[in-house]
C-alpha cells in the first residue's frame, strides 16, 4: 500500500512548483503559453522521424527543465517509472523488427532497424515526458484548469477538471482516516481474497462518503445560486500576452519552421 | 498499464483514438447535468487515486484500472471522467503522454461503456448478491478488453510490437482477477448502502 508516499511525492511536487513561482523563466510564462508550447512541442516530436531531430528535441526538453528549475531527484524518479513500462517494448524491439542483423546473442538476431526504432521511441517518450514535466508539471493544477478554460476548452470539462483536483485531496484525507481505522483493527494487506475484499469495501465506503459530501456541496452551491456557470475568480478579463510570451512564441515558431525545413 | 507513452503508436492510430475520444467526451459532456459534476468528479478522483494504490499480488504488485466501476456508476460520463484522470496523471506524474491521451482514453472508456450496458441489462434494484457477481464480471471483462485494446493499438502501429502486445495482455490477467473481487465488493456494498448510485444516472 503505497498511496501515502506517492501522495507525499505529489505534495512535494506541488510545493516545488510554488517555490519556483515568480523565479524561473518558465514560471514567468503565461500558463496559456505553456499549454500551447507543450502541445506544439508534443506535436513536433510525434511527427519528427530522424534521430538527430529527436535528439535535439530531447535537448530542448532538458533545457526547458533547467529553465523551469525542476527538482532533479523527483524528475528522475518520474522518468524511471516511465522507463519501467518502456523497457519491455524497447528491449524486445531489436529482436522483433526484421532487418540487417548486427549480432546474434543466444541465436536471436539483433537488427539495426530494430535498434534504430527503439532509440526513436526512447527519445520521443523521454522528450515529451521531460517537456511535460517542465511546462505543465510545474504549473499549479488549478492554474492549468484556468488556462485550459481560457484556451476554449468546454466549460463543463474544465469544471470537472477543477472539481477532480479538489476531490483528490478530499479522497486522500478520507482514505487516510479509513486506513487508520482498519489498522486499528489489525488489518494488514497481503495477497488474498480477504485483503482484496476489504480494500473493495474500503473503496466502496470511500465512494459513498465522498459522494454524500459531493451532494452536500452541490446543495450548498445551488443554495448560493449555482446554475452551471463557474466563475473563474482571478478573471480580470484575459490579460494581454507579455513580451516574454511573444518572444517565446516567436522563438518556438522559428524553431518549428527550422525543423520542418530540415525535413523533420 | 493503460498508460501508453508518447512515441510508440503510429500517427493513424493516434488520429483514430483522438477522434473516438473527442466524440465520446462530447457525448458524455452533453449528457452531464452541471449539478451532477461534483459526483462525476468524485469518481474521476477515485480513478486517479486507484492507480496510486498498489495491491500485493504474489511477487509483483499491480495497480487497478477501475474503468469497469467507473462505467457502472457513470455511464457515458465515464468518458470525460477518464480523460480528466488521465490528463492529471500525465501532467503530475508523467504516466502516459499528451498525443496519446485520446488513445488512452478510448482504451479505458470503451470497455467502461460496455460494462455499463451489460450491468444495466442484468441488474435491477435490490439484489446485492447479483450486483456483486455482475459487477465483478463486468470489471474483469473491461480490464481484459482494455488490455486487448492496448495490445491492438500497439499491434496496429507495427507488426514488431506483437510480442510486447501479448505481454501486455498476459500481465493484465492477474489484474482482471483482483479487480473482479475488488469491484464485486464495492458494488455489493453500494447496492446495500446507496443503491441509487448504481441506478441509471440521468
Amino acid at each position: 500500500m503505497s498511496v501515502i508516499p506517492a501522495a507525499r511525492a505529489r505534495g512535494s511536487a506541488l510545493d516545488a512548483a510554488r517555490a519556483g513561482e515568480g523565479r524561473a523563466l518558465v514560471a514567468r510564462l503565461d500558463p496559456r503559453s505553456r499549454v500551447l508550447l507543450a502541445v506544439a512541442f508534443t506535436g513536433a516530436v510525434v511527427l519528427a522521424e530522424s534521430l538527430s531531430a529527436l535528439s535535439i528535441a530531447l535537448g530542448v526538453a532538458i533545457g526547458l527543465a533547467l529553465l523551469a528549475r525542476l527538482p532533479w531527484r523527483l524528475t528522475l524518479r518520474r522518468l524511471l517509472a516511465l522507463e519501467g513500462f518502456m523497457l519491455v517494448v524497447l528491449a524486445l524491439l531489436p529482436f522483433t523488427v526484421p532487418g540487417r542483423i548486427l549480432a546474434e546473442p543466444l541465436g536471436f538476431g539483433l537488427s539495426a532497424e530494430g535498434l534504430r526504432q527503439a532509440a526513436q521511441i526512447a527519445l520521443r517518450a523521454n522528450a515529451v515526458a521531460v517537456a511535460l514535466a517542465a511546462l505543465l508539471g510545474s504549473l499549479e493544477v488549478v492554474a492549468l484548469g484556468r488556462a485550459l478554460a481560457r484556451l476554449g476548452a468546454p466549460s463543463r470539462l474544465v469544471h470537472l477538471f477543477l472539481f477532480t483536483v479538489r476531490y483528490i485531496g478530499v479522497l486522500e484525507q478520507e482514505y487516510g482516516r479509513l486506513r487508520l481505522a482498519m489498522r486499528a483493527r489489525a488489518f494488514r494487506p497481503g495477497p488474498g481474497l480477504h485483503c482484496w475484499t476489504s480494500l473493495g469495501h474500503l473503496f466502496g465506503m470511500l465512494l459513498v462518503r465522498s459522494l454524500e459530501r459531493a451532494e452536500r456541496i452541490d446543495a450548498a452551491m445551488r443554495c448560493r445560486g449555482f446554475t452551471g456557470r463557474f466563475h473563474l475568480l482571478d478573471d480580470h478579463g484575459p490579460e494581454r500576452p507579455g513580451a516574454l510570451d511573444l518572444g517565446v512564441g516567436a522563438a518556438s515558431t522559428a524553431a518549428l519552421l527550422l525543423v520542418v525545413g530540415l525535413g523533420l | 498499464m493503460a498508460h501508453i507513452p508518447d512515441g510508440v503508436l503510429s500517427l493513424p492510430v493516434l488520429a483514430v483514438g483522438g477522434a473516438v475520444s473527442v466524440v465520446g467526451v462530447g457525448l458524455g459532456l452533453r449528457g452531464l447535468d452541471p449539478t451532477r459534476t461534483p459526483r462525476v468528479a468524485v469518481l474521476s478522483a477515485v480513478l486517479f487515486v486507484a492507480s496510486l494504490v498498489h495491491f500485493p499480488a504474489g511477487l509483483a504488485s499491480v495497480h487497478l484500472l477501475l474503468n469497469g466501476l467507473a462505467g457502472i456508476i457513470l455511464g457515458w460520463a465515464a468518458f470525460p471522467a477518464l480523460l480528466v484522470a488521465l490528463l492529471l496523471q500525465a501532467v503530475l506524474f508523467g504516466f502516459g503522454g499528451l498525443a496519446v491521451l485520446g488513445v488512452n482514453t478510448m482504451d479505458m472508456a470503451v470497455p467502461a461503456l460496455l460494462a455499463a450496458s451489460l450491468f444495466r441489462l442484468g441488474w435491477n434494484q435490490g439484489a446485492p448478491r447479483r450486483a456483486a457477481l455482475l459487477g465483478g464480471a463486468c470489471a474483469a471483462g473491461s480490464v481484459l478488453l482494455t488490455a486487448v485494446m492496448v495490445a491492438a493499438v500497439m499491434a496496429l502501429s507495427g507488426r514488431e510490437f506483437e510480442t510486447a502486445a501479448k505481454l501486455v495482455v498476459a500481465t493484465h490477467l492477474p489484474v482482471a482477477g483482483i479487480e473482479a473481487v475488488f469491484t464485486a465488493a464495492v458494488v455489493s456494498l453500494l447496492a446495500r448502502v446507496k443503491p441509487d448510485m448504481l441506478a441509471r444516472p440521468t
Side-chain angles (χ1 to χ4, degrees):
Chain A
M1 302 304 301
S2 57
V3 73
I4 304 305
R8 225 173 266 147
R10 191 177 70 250
S12 59
L14 291 178
D15 292 344
R18 270 182 219 116
E21 209 72 46
R23 285 273 108 94
L25 180 75
V26 170
R28 273 187 281 152
L29 274 179
D30 190 300
R32 285 170 294 177
S33 317
R34 290 161 73 167
V35 173
L36 289 180
L37 209 56
V39 171
F41 183 85
T42 309
V45 169
V46 171
L47 286 174
E49 286 290 337
S50 82
L51 283 185
S52 51
L54 289 173
S55 314
I56 295 173
L58 184 59
V60 170
I62 293 174
L64 281 172
L66 288 176
L67 285 177
R69 292 189 203 155
L70 285 188
W72 277 112
R73 202 178 282 179
L74 206 71
T75 315
L76 282 179
R77 210 188 300 153
R78 280 173 58 148
L79 284 182
L80 275 182
L82 170 76
E83 249 67 73
F85 174 94
M86 305 267 297
L87 213 60
V88 185
V89 180
L90 293 184
L92 285 172
L93 269 182
F95 298 102
T96 51
V97 176
R100 198 160 50 83
I101 303 299
L102 288 182
E104 288 196 46
L106 303 174
F108 295 104
L110 189 74
S111 73
E113 282 77 4
L115 272 184
R116 197 190 117 80
Q117 206 172 338
Q120 212 175 38
I121 290 175
L123 283 173
R124 268 200 198 128
N126 284 302
V128 172
V130 173
L132 268 187
L135 289 169
L136 302 183
S138 62
L139 191 64
E140 232 182 298
V141 208
V142 178
L144 175 61
R146 289 197 195 112
L148 288 176
R150 302 229 176 93
L151 285 171
S155 66
R156 285 181 184 182
L157 191 63
V158 175
H159 294 177
L160 186 60
F161 182 87
L162 291 173
F163 273 116
T164 304
V165 170
R166 166 72 187 123
Y167 283 129
I168 288 170
V170 171
L171 274 180
E172 246 165 53
Q173 272 177 13
E174 290 275 353
Y175 177 79
R177 251 213 307 267
L178 290 172
R179 272 312 298 270
L180 192 68
M182 286 170 85
R183 218 165 44 216
R185 287 155 184 80
F187 171 78
R188 276 163 91 198
L193 221 58
H194 171 69
C195 165
W196 303 333
T197 320
S198 306
L199 288 179
H201 286 151
L202 163 67
F203 260 72
M205 210 53 228
L206 201 61
L207 271 177
V208 171
R209 282 183 163 208
S210 316
L211 226 80
E212 281 179 348
R213 197 183 163 119
E215 276 162 13
R216 284 201 300 279
I217 291 173
D218 178 31
M221 281 182 10
R222 272 197 245 185
C223 180
R224 287 157 183 80
F226 179 70
T227 52
R229 229 189 86 78
F230 200 56
H231 299 273
L232 301 174
L233 281 183
D234 72 341
D235 202 350
H236 311 297
E239 300 129 43
R240 297 194 61 77
L244 186 65
D245 293 301
L246 291 176
V248 170
S252 43
T253 311
L256 268 182
L257 286 179
L258 194 69
V259 169
V260 174
L262 287 174
L264 291 168
Chain B
M1 299 285 148
H3 305 115
I4 307 175
D6 268 327
V8 177
L9 301 180
S10 66
L11 286 180
V13 173
L14 289 178
V16 170
V20 169
S21 290
V22 165
V23 172
V25 170
L27 285 174
L29 285 178
R30 212 181 47 181
L32 177 62
D33 178 14
T35 54
R36 216 168 62 96
T37 308
R39 263 161 267 184
V40 180
V42 167
L43 242 289
S44 194
V46 166
L47 290 169
F48 175 87
V49 172
S51 69
L52 303 180
V53 180
H54 287 258
F55 270 63
L59 291 173
S61 99
V62 295
H63 75 79
L64 300 178
L65 302 180
L66 291 190
N67 54 343
L69 183 65
I72 289 171
I73 299 179
L74 294 178
W76 274 95
F79 246 110
L82 282 161
L83 173 67
V84 166
L86 286 169
L87 177 65
L88 278 171
Q89 280 171 1
V91 167
L92 289 179
F93 298 123
F95 294 162
L98 211 55
V100 287
L101 208 54
V103 175
N104 282 340
T105 308
M106 172 181 78
D107 286 351
M108 297 272 282
V110 170
L113 286 181
L114 287 178
S117 44
L118 208 72
F119 188 79
R120 304 254 184 278
L121 271 181
W123 185 71
N124 25 25
Q125 300 275 353
R129 255 202 123 68
R130 197 187 166 85
L133 282 176
L134 256 176
C138 288
S142 51
V143 169
L144 287 182
L145 187 55
T146 296
V148 168
M149 285 178 75
V150 169
V153 292
M154 282 169 75
L156 281 175
S157 296
R159 292 187 58 81
E160 58 277 9
F161 289 123
E162 269 170 15
T163 324
K166 279 177 201 146
L167 264 175
V168 168
V169 176
T171 51
H172 275 74
L173 287 175
V175 181
I178 297 176
E179 184 141 335
V181 176
F182 179 90
T183 308
V186 175
V187 171
S188 81
L189 184 104
L190 289 181
R192 266 172 282 162
V193 178
K194 208 166 165 62
D196 51 321
M197 251 177 100
L198 298 174
R200 178 95 202 97
T202 43

